Amino acid sequence: MKIYIHLHKAPIRVLRIGRRRFWLRLKRDMLVLKDALAQEKQETKDMLVTYKRYTCRQASKEELTEANKQFADLLKGLGLGMFAVLPFAPITIPLVVKLGQIVGVDVLPSSFNNMSERKANMMRIANKANLESNAD
């Protein structure tokens, strides 16, 4: 700590800023995850409605194709959920996702594929809100 004090004029302030940055980033990531889970939930509800309509012979082929894609996404999520129960899940899940990318297999459901775009959109919204609040 003594060396750190000599390197920075305000080490406590630097630590506070770093801690605040960490929590803001965590909150932003949780909001992005919440958005992806909400999208997955809505798609699953639509899938169930389509399957119900199919039993009454009221669904078209295109609707059934979309419902089957969503069912495959649901199975992907369940398969990945199995790794969440195992010990060392914070290590195994990213490892499985990375190995899937290397091999060319899509392990994540479709709503989680564009997470970087969602983060970028969330950053733009936050920056715009900050600019508007500073302008007032």
Side-chain angles (χ1 to χ4, degrees):
M1 186 69 182
K2 199 171 192 179
I3 295 171
Y4 192 70
I5 290 174
H6 289 292
L7 292 176
H8 294 286
K9 288 186 176 182
I12 295 173
R13 182 172 180 256
V14 170
L15 291 172
R16 285 182 183 158
I17 290 171
R19 188 180 316 141
R20 183 159 177 86
R21 183 182 302 135
F22 168 76
W23 284 112
L24 288 173
R25 188 179 307 133
L26 182 67
K27 285 179 185 179
R28 189 178 331 114
D29 290 346
M30 289 297 119
L31 287 173
V32 169
L33 181 65
K34 179 183 173 184
D35 185 39
L37 289 173
Q39 178 185 349
E40 192 70 26
K41 176 183 168 185
Q42 185 60 41
E43 289 174 355
T44 303
K45 284 183 179 181
D46 294 341
M47 175 196 71
L48 291 173
V49 168
T50 302
Y51 282 151
K52 182 179 178 183
R53 290 182 59 221
Y54 178 73
T55 58
C56 299
R57 304 213 189 276
Q58 296 174 348
S60 66
K61 293 283 186 185
E62 294 84 22
E63 291 174 336
L64 192 59
T65 304
E66 287 298 317
N68 289 338
K69 286 181 186 176
Q70 177 56 31
F71 185 65
D73 278 350
L74 189 65
L75 292 178
K76 287 179 191 178
L78 290 175
L80 201 58
M82 179 192 70
F83 289 107
V85 178
L86 295 175
F88 304 109
I91 297 170
T92 56
I93 292 175
L95 184 68
V96 167
V97 171
K98 190 64 175 177
L99 285 174
Q101 288 176 350
I102 291 171
V103 175
V105 177
D106 191 20
V107 179
L108 292 174
S110 61
S111 61
F112 293 96
N113 287 339
N114 56 0
M115 292 295 264
S116 60
E117 291 176 17
R118 289 174 193 247
K119 280 186 181 181
N121 287 338
M122 190 71 77
M123 288 287 288
R124 275 190 234 114
I125 292 169
N127 288 337
K128 187 176 180 182
N130 284 338
L131 289 175
E132 289 175 358
S133 66
N134 290 337
D136 292 338

